[in-house]
Structures are given as C-alpha cells and as structure tokens.
C-alpha cells in the first residue's frame, strides 16, 4: 500500500503536533514523570527531564550567538548528547545539521563548511579530527557537556 500525505492530511495536523518544542513542552506538562527515552547504557529521561535538558542547552546556544534559523552542526554519535543538542537547537528554532561521525579530513571539512553553521557541537572523542581543518570564521565549537 502506498502512503501519501495529502493536503487534507497536512491541513488536519497543527504545527504544534509536529514541531519539537511544542511536543516537548506538552509532554512535560501533561505527563512530566512518564519515561520519555531510555538509552542502551541504561540512562533514562522523563518527559520533564527531556524538556529541562532542551531548555538548558538552548540557553547555552543562545549565549553563544545561535538564533532562530541558524544552523547548528552536530558532530556527535547517537545517544543522550545528540538528543539534547537537537532538542536545544529546536527550542531556539535553529536547524540541526548532523555530521557523519565517520568523516575525516577534507570530507569532514567540506561537510561543516558547506553547512555554514553558527555553532558546532562536537564530541570530545572526535574533536581531534578538527585539528588543522579550515573551518568557517566565527564558528563556535561547543562540547556536549556544556549544553
């Protein structure tokens, strides 16, 4: 069976039903203690904790100059840091640009440069791959623990 999203379907879905910030806020308001996400290492967040992480990270991104519509590159493996960075950017209305963690050298440089991000959230274990790379002027690197 083919699944087609028609104009009728789109019209029936409000933006608050599909935009990350309202989804996080509504979930935290309606069921703050419900388990929202559990990671393979056993770390788990409730809906309220997820929203707190998003707001905390959004404050850091804003203080570093990220605004609505800006791009934030995420050079992070899957896991809690990735979700926190994604949700933090979404709270501000920024756009995430995931960068493949297998990238190195010129491919990595081009991926970041072509995205023209305002900020780059980079896992400390991957940070050495950025050494010697010509990254965009004014790019703000951010460690995930800072979010």
């Amino acid at each position: 069976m083919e699944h087609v999203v028609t104009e009728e379907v789109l019209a029936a879905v409000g933006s608050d039903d599909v935009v990350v910030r309202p989804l996080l806020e509504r979930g935290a308001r309606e069921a703050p203690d419900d388990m929202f996400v559990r990671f393979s290492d056993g770390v788990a967040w409730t809906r309220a904790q997820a929203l707190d992480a998003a707001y905390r990270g959004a404050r850091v991104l804003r203080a570093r100059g990220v605004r609505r519509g800006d791009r934030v590159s995420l050079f992070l493996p899957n896991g809690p840091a990735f979700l926190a960075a994604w949700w933090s950017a979404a709270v501000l209305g920024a756009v995430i640009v995931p960068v493949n963690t297998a990238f190195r050298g010129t491919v990595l440089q081009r991926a970041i440069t072509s995205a023209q991000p305002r900020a780059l959230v980079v896992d400390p274990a991957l940070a050495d791959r950025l050494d010697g790379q010509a990254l965009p002027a004014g790019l703000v690197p951010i460690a995930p623990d800072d979010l």
Side-chain angles (χ1 to χ4, degrees), residues 19 64 69 74 79 99 115:
V19 178
R64 305 279 179 99
L74 306 182
V99 177

Side-chain angles (χ1 to χ4, degrees), residues 69-88:
D70 286 343
R71 288 171 297 282
V72 177
S73 287
L74 306 182
F75 192 36
L76 300 166
N78 292 335
F82 186 95
L83 280 182
W86 170 28
W87 295 339
S88 298

Side-chain angles (χ1 to χ4, degrees), residues 47-136:
R47 292 179 181 279
Q49 289 170 322
L51 182 62
D52 287 345
Y55 281 172
R56 186 174 47 254
R59 285 190 296 274
V60 171
L61 291 175
R62 179 132 177 102
R64 305 279 179 99
V66 176
R67 300 293 184 263
R68 181 179 183 84
D70 286 343
R71 288 171 297 282
V72 177
S73 287
L74 306 182
F75 192 36
L76 300 166
N78 292 335
F82 186 95
L83 280 182
W86 170 28
W87 295 339
S88 298
V91 164
L92 291 178
V95 178
I96 66 159
V97 181
V99 177
N100 189 319
T101 57
F103 287 174
R104 298 175 185 273
T106 304
V107 173
L108 175 60
Q109 178 187 0
R110 286 184 184 150
I112 294 170
T113 302
S114 66
Q116 299 178 335
R118 167 79 59 192
L120 170 66
V121 182
V122 59
D123 186 283
L126 302 172
D128 64 332
R129 294 190 199 170
L130 300 173
D131 293 343
Q133 299 296 323
L135 298 176

Side-chain angles (χ1 to χ4, degrees), residues 8-32:
E8 181 180 331
V9 170
L10 290 175
V13 178
S15 63
D16 285 353
D17 294 326
V18 295
V19 178
V20 173
R21 181 178 180 172
L23 288 172
L24 290 171
E25 290 172 340
R26 186 173 61 231
R29 183 177 57 251
E30 293 175 0

